[in-house]
Amino acid sequence: MLSAKSAEVVEATLPAVGGAIGDITPLFYQKMFAAHPELLRDLFNRGNQANGSQRQALAGSIAAFASALIAHPDQRPDAMLARIAHKHVSVGISNDQYRIVHEHLFAAIVEVLGEAVTPEVAAAWDEVYWLMANALIAVEDRLRAETAAAQGGDPADLWRPYTVVARYQETDDVTTYLVRPADGGPVPPSRPGQYVSVRAELPDGAHQIRQYSLSGNPDGALQFTVKRAAAAAEGDPAGEISNHLHDHLHTGDVVELAPPLGDLTLADHAGAEAGPVLLASAGIGNTPMTAMLAHLAGTGSARRVISVHGDRDQLSHAFRADLGQLTAKLPNATAHVFYERPLGDWPQERTGLVDLSTVDIPAGTTAYLCGPLPFLRSVRSQLLTAGVPASAIHYEVFGPDLWLGQDA
Ligand SMILES: Cc1cc2nc3c(=O)[nH]c(=O)nc-3n(C[C@H](O)[C@H](O)[C@H](O)COP(=O)(O)OP(=O)(O)OC[C@H]3O[C@@H](n4cnc5c(N)ncnc54)[C@H](O)[C@@H]3O)c2cc1C
Ligand code: HEM
């Protein structure tokens, strides 16, 4: 893996590089987007760039990869690569773009760290970058080929037009779309927990891409659900794509989607098939959980299934009826719903944030979590306290994953 000489240099310089990441990453993106404005307009999520949330993810993951290489020199930390590779394929990045990222990332490193970047240091970090890039490229090539084979297309044809065949209002600000390939071809295969990328053209001509988890598995269609993203703070713009879809995507319209991707799926965790499963979500984080529950109900699963959901109140709770109906279809399932500000009569022990102390969590439970970061942190630590091992806790984040490579 990493040569012994480079490992030594990387270990010695990791604190300096890690400590300067906050300065390196904005400069890297600034340089890259100055040279390639089309990447910001049509590939990267410009909302995440504006609010800063994506920046840390890329450079942070390289530092995490380097730390993992040093801690276990004979293993390549492949697990952390899968999530990135699925995201990369889903937005349509190409292998030659790794050179562009390399050029601007290393220019930013040299500018921030100055003379500390001796030729030896540059060569060692170069080795880390290309080890990671080549590993990602290999996984991405395989994924592209598998996806293309499954939907009978060319690996280069990522985007496909779909017609909206139905649109349902789940709550005031949550809408579900049912879509079918516009060419009448077959619906691509998907697994519960996966997402599609939606590419939409905005009024300024930019093409922006966002991911939406599949929220069910209807016959002959894909189903995804979008919540209007409000402005993060006063004066900030409201979310671009979610509001654009709500306002402009109606039944009969055509939308471009990439095929279902994503490495967090119900069936993927070997040995878990027979054991108890806990699905925990907050707010719109229940989209992948609803698809997983629908899959379990649709396949007549006898597994013990524990659904836990937290929301503001009954009116903001999308898929409230589905949760009840799907749970009732399963022979061994329970649902526990917590509302922060319940309307009308609601049990006191289910009022407030999700609290697992009153939920029975059997030994051998595999947990799937999706929701905002504070929810994920809280539920993960409650599960650890309840004796669920870290390796049995899987999660999806609806944004750049800043947990990548950490013990999560
Ligand atoms: C794997 C995955 C699955 C997902 N599944 C779902 C799902 O099932 N349903 C769902 O609704 N969402 C889902 N999401 C989230 C979704 O992809 C989008 O992130 C979400 O819809 C917001 O996108 P947007 O374009 O509306 O907002 P954006 O325009 O991206 O804005 C996001 C935030 O950034 C802020 N912002 C934007 N521009 C600026 C600026 N100039 N200055 C300061 N702040 C700014 C906005 O105020 C907003 O709060 C998922 C995400 C991932 C990664
Ligand atoms: C070794 C090189 C690279 C690393 C380590 C890396 C790392 C990452 C990480 C960690 C994420 C977030 C994943 C998630 O949270 O789910 C991400 C997303 C992304 N990456 Fe990369 N990446 C690399 C190369 C590239 C290249 C070459 C491109 C294309 C120019 C690219 C474009 C993107 C895009 C568009 C996203 C989605 C996020 C957004 O839209 O802002 N990456 N990458």
Side-chain angles (χ1 to χ4, degrees), residues 50-260:
N51 68 28
S53 57
Q54 158 67 15
R55 293 183 174 173
Q56 211 183 323
L58 191 147
S61 72
I62 298 178
F65 186 83
S67 309
L69 280 178
I70 288 162
H72 306 284
D74 338 324
Q75 294 165 24
R76 201 175 64 191
D78 277 5
M80 67 178 284
L81 299 181
R83 180 182 215 105
I84 306 174
H86 276 262
K87 184 71 74 59
H88 279 167
V89 172
S90 172
V91 296
I93 80 159
S94 58
N95 295 350
D96 52 326
Q97 288 171 332
Y98 279 90
R99 293 204 168 278
I100 299 178
V101 165
H102 176 266
E103 179 191 338
H104 298 289
L105 184 60
F106 279 71
I109 292 176
V110 168
E111 195 169 320
V112 171
L113 296 181
E115 284 172 6
V117 189
T118 60
E120 197 188 29
V121 170
W125 278 95
D126 221 50
E127 202 179 323
V128 171
Y129 178 86
W130 285 113
L131 263 178
M132 189 167 186
N134 287 327
L136 282 169
I137 287 171
V139 183
E140 288 161 17
D141 279 346
R142 198 175 62 235
L143 264 178
R144 267 190 288 270
E146 280 169 12
T147 313
Q151 63 173 2
D154 188 309
D157 295 338
L158 178 73
W159 301 106
R160 193 173 172 195
Y162 283 74
T163 307
V164 177
V165 293
R167 174 185 156 136
Y168 310 109
Q169 202 68 35
E170 304 283 355
T171 69
D172 278 354
D173 56 5
V174 176
T175 299
T176 289
Y177 295 94
L178 237 69
V179 298
R180 290 209 184 107
D183 62 5
V187 174
S190 63
R191 284 175 288 161
Q194 290 195 304
Y195 53 80
V196 286
S197 281
V198 172
R199 181 166 75 167
E201 186 173 344
L202 292 161
D204 66 352
H207 288 86
Q208 282 281 294
I209 302 168
R210 300 290 184 272
Q211 287 72 45
Y212 294 100
S213 300
L214 298 174
S215 57
N217 50 358
D219 274 346
L222 290 177
Q223 175 183 316
F224 61 92
T225 300
V226 182
K227 178 177 174 155
R228 277 187 192 273
E234 216 182 299
D236 288 348
E240 277 200 287
I241 295 295
S242 59
N243 287 291
H244 178 83
L245 296 175
H246 273 254
D247 296 339
H248 299 289
L249 187 64
H250 297 282
T251 304
D253 290 345
V254 171
V255 61
E256 275 188 312
L257 300 190

Side-chain angles (χ1 to χ4, degrees), residues 310-355:
D311 229 305
R312 193 186 60 227
D313 58 33
Q314 288 89 333
L315 292 180
S316 66
H317 181 177
F319 301 113
R320 190 172 158 223
D322 302 61
L323 178 60
Q325 285 157 12
L326 293 168
T327 305
K329 275 191 192 165
L330 286 158
N332 211 356
T334 48
H336 310 270
V337 177
F338 294 78
Y339 293 130
E340 282 175 64
R341 277 170 277 149
L343 303 164
D345 277 347
W346 192 253
Q348 190 54 39
E349 74 274 14
R350 293 282 180 267
T351 300
L353 300 177
V354 166
D355 172 4

Side-chain angles (χ1 to χ4, degrees), residues 229-302:
E234 216 182 299
D236 288 348
E240 277 200 287
I241 295 295
S242 59
N243 287 291
H244 178 83
L245 296 175
H246 273 254
D247 296 339
H248 299 289
L249 187 64
H250 297 282
T251 304
D253 290 345
V254 171
V255 61
E256 275 188 312
L257 300 190
L261 281 152
D263 67 322
L264 180 80
T265 65
L266 190 60
D268 265 1
H269 300 288
E273 276 75 17
V277 59
L278 182 137
L279 308 175
S281 54
I284 194 61
N286 64 358
T287 48
M289 302 306 155
T290 307
M292 290 184 187
L293 200 59
H295 172 82
L296 291 163
T299 53
S301 174

